[in-house]
Amino acid sequence: MKGANSDMGQDNMIQGNNGTGDNESPVDPGSGTWYSGTSGTFPDAGMPGETGPEGPAPSEKGSSLRTALDAITRYRLIIGGIVLAVLILIGVVIWVLVGALANRPAAAPIPAPATSTSRGPLPADVEAKDYQLGDCFADFDSNAIKSKVVDCTTDHSAQLGAIFRYKADDTFPGATALRDKGREICRDLVLNEASTKYALLQQNVYPSATSWDNGDRRVDCFIVVNSGNTLKESVLQK
């Protein structure tokens, strides 16, 4: 909490910135044994007890062909079944993932730094512990426990440019460390083009040992003018 128990430092001036098969030969009419008869010739049917060359029975060929076709069919069915199972598995995985993503709660948005636009009607007297980043102040007094927060398009003398908060369980770092922290956060803030129209200074406000014991853990960097409410716009880069 700022106020009479808070310390304040005022530092340097700031400038804006994809088969083959077997072939069968035709039978030779001159082959085999022939007998002459009363009329014409007749082919020898073979002597009793003799046999001629035998080839595979047609039924055996057909059986072998069916067996080969059945094997191919089974192979294709097996392959088809595997492919179908893989497709079903992929479909199930996709369905599960889609369902999981659909039921996943949306991440909570990160709130933007609070500015004076979130306040009620302005101007308003605001306690030092409730100052927000971007607030503009008329007749600013860094030692006051309250200040008048105004719209930044109206006349004002200061604007809160940066805030640093120590952890609640941190020990008091000492005035010098607090002052250096104030200068650090002021050095890192970015001003807009409008800031070049003004002669600006930084003013650091940090807790005293007493206010630290009372829970005050914030260090503030204000951008101010020397005197009077001569600022008529925000000087902070959005």
Side-chain angles (χ1 to χ4, degrees), residues 50-70:
E50 294 180 356
T51 59
E54 294 182 358
S59 60
E60 293 178 358
K61 286 186 177 181
S63 176
S64 298
L65 180 59
R66 284 194 299 271
T67 300
L69 290 176
D70 289 344

Side-chain angles (χ1 to χ4, degrees), residues 3-52:
N5 292 326
S6 298
D7 294 325
M8 175 274 293
Q10 179 169 312
D11 299 298
N12 300 324
M13 183 174 296
I14 295 178
Q15 298 299 327
N17 45 113
N18 161 56
T20 61
D22 294 330
N23 295 321
E24 294 183 0
S25 301
V27 176
D28 183 358
S31 64
T33 303
W34 296 84
Y35 291 87
S36 56
T38 55
S39 65
T41 59
F42 297 88
D44 183 11
M47 294 298 291
E50 294 180 356
T51 59

Side-chain angles (χ1 to χ4, degrees), residues 110-183:
I110 299 174
T115 65
S116 58
T117 56
S118 65
R119 297 192 182 282
L122 297 177
D125 289 333
V126 179
E127 292 186 6
K129 66 182 180 62
D130 296 323
Y131 293 166
Q132 297 176 1
L133 185 64
D135 277 348
C136 292
F137 305 89
D139 301 317
F140 180 66
D141 179 0
S142 62
N143 291 316
I145 60 173
K146 287 184 179 183
S147 287
K148 181 180 291 185
V149 178
V150 299
D151 191 289
C152 290
T153 59
T154 62
D155 296 349
H156 56 282
S157 62
Q159 185 171 11
L160 181 52
I163 302 172
F164 178 85
R165 289 182 173 86
Y166 284 91
K167 296 178 182 179
D169 58 353
D170 284 345
T171 57
F172 183 68
T176 299
L178 289 168
R179 181 193 62 207
D180 291 345
K181 177 59 69 174
R183 291 177 178 177

